[in-house]
Amino acid sequence: MLPRSRTMPCRIHHDSTGEMSRDNRHYLQIETQSKHLGETEAINSQPVYSKCFDDDGRLKRTGNVWTATSHIITAVIGSGVLSLAWAIAQLGWIAGPTIMILFAFVIFYTSNLLSECYRAGDPATGKRNYTYMDAVKANLGGAKVKICGSIQYLNLFGVAIGYTIAASISMMAVKKSNCFHKSGGKGPCHMSSNAYMIMFGITEVLFSQIPDFDQVWWLSIVAAIMSFTYSTVGLSLGIAKVAENGSFKGSLTGVSIGAAVTPTQKVWKSLQALGDIAFAYSYSIILIEIQDTVKSPPAEHKTMKKATLMSIAVTTAFYLLCGCMGYAAFGDNSPGNLLTGFGFYNPYWLLDIANVAIVVHLIGAYQVYCQPLFAFVEKWSAQRWPKSEFIIHEYEVSMPFSGSIYHINLFRIVWRTAFVCVTTIISMLMPFFNDVVGILGAFGFWPLTVYFPVEMYIAEKKIGKWTSRWLGLQILSFTCLIISIAAASGSVAGVILDLKAYKPFKSTY
């Protein structure tokens, strides 16, 4: 039997004999089942670290620093790494790497603040917050909960769109590289992205039926391996190109104003580059959900701090290498997507391997980001309509060969399929990779990565106003707000320019 959800309410319903009924499993919170109060108290009165249950009465969590690190790497080293050469090209050799390192420090610091908010009160024994919204509710409350939820889930929705676009571009790149190889680089090799987005959407419909976040750990590990694969290929090809050129391209200030861009375009593209870098590091929106998969002891925040340090250190090293070597190889002509912009043409088979790795990674990353959104909607629906058979009833299906039992829920099938279909259609309407990446990064960076973690930490630790610690945190938050607004402005300007020459469902590459 598959392990029980961490993000969904416990599916427990006992009959008169005390055994779990196979015909009437419901999404019900343990604490709301008053008629089974004795059973609930029996669960909650168990030792804090029992063999089967955690201190909140839920099944024992099994995650560790390595699974948490793989989840983070899967979320962080995404398609954003491929746009970093372009981002550094807009900013230049001085500002580009410097801003990238500063983003890494900010993400690392605020992620540590956020990990402290997983438990209310005592970081080792306090009440657990299962989701980002739960943490905001426990520490801030009021209207901020709804604001946070709206921003978080809208951002997750946007990430699904961005990943669909990126995956389709990589799938097309495989076919395009083979077309270039056969034609000797003389063929036009134009194609539509729509069919590839549909293929990706169908794949995600299938994987989206995995019930819970816990059960995608293996997909995260595969995706993390794939991310290292294509990042390494991009880095290797960049080094080879620099060796072929015999020198490093690029300048201290980035793309030169004049023949390439106007002064206005230079400003907008530089701001958009900030959004691309922010997106490349963004994962705070699912940090609490990842932390809720980690076992204890040791305290969950200690494990998450180790996982955050390891993952941010590794990803920053990869980002600097890939972004800087890509810029060194192509200079001002760095493509928006390093492996699909066709700065590289050969060896075509190596490009194919890298792009297939991107697609596999994005399949896993899509699930890592969307599972918290799936769980939120399903939990809310179960609480809103607790007697609806369509929403709460589960059917058992025996899996062939393995003999294990899979639980099918009709609402889960319909809702998750509809979600994937909507994100796929929107991706077909707006297939602008760099601009979408920039908007997502700018939109989610300040509120979810900086503002709410800072405010929750201040409330959790009861830091007084106008103290040096409070002032430092507020200055950090305000600075990041200005960066987010600037990045959003540049990305929106990029989308407006793209729309001038765009026809819906007619995009070609």
Side-chain angles (χ1 to χ4, degrees):
M1 184 179 292
L2 295 172
R4 187 163 290 129
S5 170
R6 304 287 177 248
T7 52
M8 290 293 293
C10 296
R11 286 167 253 173
I12 296 179
H13 186 79
H14 293 280
D15 58 21
S16 58
T17 64
E19 295 178 353
M20 185 178 290
S21 169
R22 294 189 177 187
D23 298 323
N24 298 293
R25 284 185 171 83
H26 297 279
Y27 291 120
L28 295 175
Q29 292 284 8
I30 293 175
E31 58 268 25
T32 62
Q33 300 185 55
S34 57
K35 65 180 180 178
H36 300 305
L37 183 59
E39 294 173 354
T40 302
E41 290 175 344
I43 289 175
N44 291 333
S45 63
Q46 295 182 44
V48 175
Y49 302 119
S50 71
K51 291 183 179 180
C52 298
F53 298 95
D54 276 323
D55 55 317
D56 59 345
R58 296 195 177 190
L59 289 179
K60 196 75 173 177
R61 292 159 174 82
T62 58
N64 54 41
V65 66
W66 298 110
T67 60
T69 300
S70 69
H71 280 314
I72 295 172
I73 290 176
T74 298
V76 177
I77 303 185
S79 54
V81 68
L82 303 174
S83 66
L84 292 180
W86 180 89
I88 292 179
Q90 310 312 309
L91 299 169
W93 278 119
I94 296 177
T98 300
I99 290 174
M100 202 176 295
I101 292 172
L102 288 175
F103 267 98
F105 276 112
V106 170
I107 297 290
F108 173 70
Y109 181 71
T110 57
S111 295
N112 284 343
L113 298 183
L114 184 56
S115 68
E116 295 271 4
C117 301
Y118 171 64
R119 288 183 181 266
D122 190 278
T125 60
K127 184 180 180 296
R128 296 173 186 265
N129 296 307
Y130 302 115
T131 66
Y132 195 111
M133 275 187 67
D134 287 344
V136 174
K137 183 177 182 180
N139 290 283
L140 302 178
K144 290 183 179 180
V145 179
K146 294 182 179 179
I147 294 172
C148 170
S150 300
I151 295 173
Q152 181 190 12
Y153 294 122
L154 183 60
N155 196 261
L156 292 175
F157 181 76
V159 168
I161 295 171
Y163 280 0
T164 302
I165 296 170
S168 69
I169 292 174
S170 290
M171 285 189 277
M172 286 190 296
V174 173
K175 185 174 181 180
K176 197 168 184 178
S177 69
N178 287 280
C179 173
F180 274 123
H181 179 70
K182 291 178 181 178
S183 66
K186 298 179 180 179
C189 301
H190 293 304
M191 61 197 74
S192 172
S193 63
N194 293 339
Y196 297 96
M197 290 186 185
I198 292 172
M199 289 170 58
F200 183 79
I202 292 172
T203 303
E204 290 302 339
V205 166
L206 298 176
F207 278 103
S208 292
Q209 300 313 313
I210 298 174
D212 307 316
F213 193 85
D214 268 0
Q215 296 166 29
V216 300
W217 64 267
W218 60 272
L219 195 56
S220 282
I221 292 175
V222 172
I225 294 171
M226 293 298 103
S227 66
F228 282 121
T229 299
Y230 66 72
S231 297
T232 302
V233 170
L235 172 61
S236 301
L237 291 174
I239 293 173
K241 186 70 174 180
V242 169
E244 179 185 330
N245 295 337
S247 63
F248 281 64
K249 292 188 176 182
S251 64
L252 296 179
T253 57
V255 176
S256 302
I257 297 174
V261 294
T262 64
T264 302
Q265 290 174 329
K266 172 71 174 179
V267 172
W268 290 129
K269 287 182 180 293
S270 295
L271 296 177
Q272 184 183 334
L274 294 178
D276 285 7
I277 295 173
F279 177 79
Y281 277 109
S282 179
Y283 79 97
S284 295
I285 53 178
I286 58 171
L287 184 143
I288 295 293
E289 284 80 354
I290 293 174
Q291 191 166 346
D292 191 46
T293 68
V294 174
K295 63 183 178 183
S296 61
E300 297 86 358
H301 73 281
K302 293 182 179 179
T303 300
M304 281 305 296
K305 286 181 179 180
K306 291 179 181 178
T308 298
L309 176 60
M310 291 170 58
S311 56
I312 294 296
V314 170
T315 53
T316 300
F318 262 81
Y319 283 179
L320 287 172
L321 288 169
C322 290
C324 292
M325 292 309 299
Y327 182 43
F330 300 106
D332 291 355
N333 296 319
S334 296
N337 188 313
L338 192 60
L339 292 175
T340 62
F342 285 93
F344 304 113
Y345 292 94
N346 287 300
Y348 77 97
W349 57 267
L350 187 58
L351 287 172
D352 290 349
I353 291 174
N355 280 297
V356 168
I358 292 172
V359 174
V360 173
H361 170 264
L362 291 175
I363 289 172
Y366 188 105
Q367 291 304 312
V368 169
Y369 273 101
C370 292
Q371 283 289 338
L373 176 56
F374 294 157
F376 168 76
V377 171
E378 289 157 21
K379 178 179 177 179
W380 178 85
S381 300
Q383 293 174 338
R384 180 67 175 80
W385 297 284
K387 296 182 180 180
S388 172
E389 288 293 309
F390 173 69
I391 293 174
I392 65 177
H393 191 74
E394 290 198 346
Y395 301 88
E396 289 185 347
V397 176
S398 179
M399 301 299 290
F401 306 114
S402 67
S404 59
I405 302 297
Y406 181 76
H407 296 101
I408 293 178
N409 176 268
L410 295 179
F411 176 68
R412 182 168 63 232
I413 293 175
V414 173
W415 140 244
R416 296 188 182 193
T417 299
F419 174 88
V420 175
C421 290
V422 170
T423 57
T424 302
I425 292 172
I426 295 176
S427 300
M428 293 163 66
L429 282 168
M430 192 178 64
F432 314 130
F433 176 73
N434 273 78
D435 296 330
V436 169
V437 163
I439 289 176
L440 290 174
F443 181 71
F445 175 68
W446 177 71
L448 298 176
T449 303
V450 183
Y451 175 74
F452 283 113
V454 164
E455 293 299 314
M456 284 192 288
Y457 183 78
I458 290 173
E460 175 79 16
K461 301 301 181 182
K462 297 179 174 57
I463 300 174
K465 284 188 176 182
W466 307 113
T467 61
S468 58
R469 188 77 184 278
W470 185 90
L471 284 172
L473 290 170
Q474 295 300 332
I475 290 172
L476 171 65
S477 181
F478 180 75
T479 302
C480 291
L481 170 62
I482 299 301
I483 292 173
S484 285
I485 293 173
S489 301
S491 297
V492 169
V495 169
I496 293 174
L497 290 175
D498 287 335
L499 287 173
K500 291 181 178 179
Y502 167 70
K503 296 180 180 179
F505 298 106
K506 297 294 183 180
S507 58
T508 58
Y509 293 87

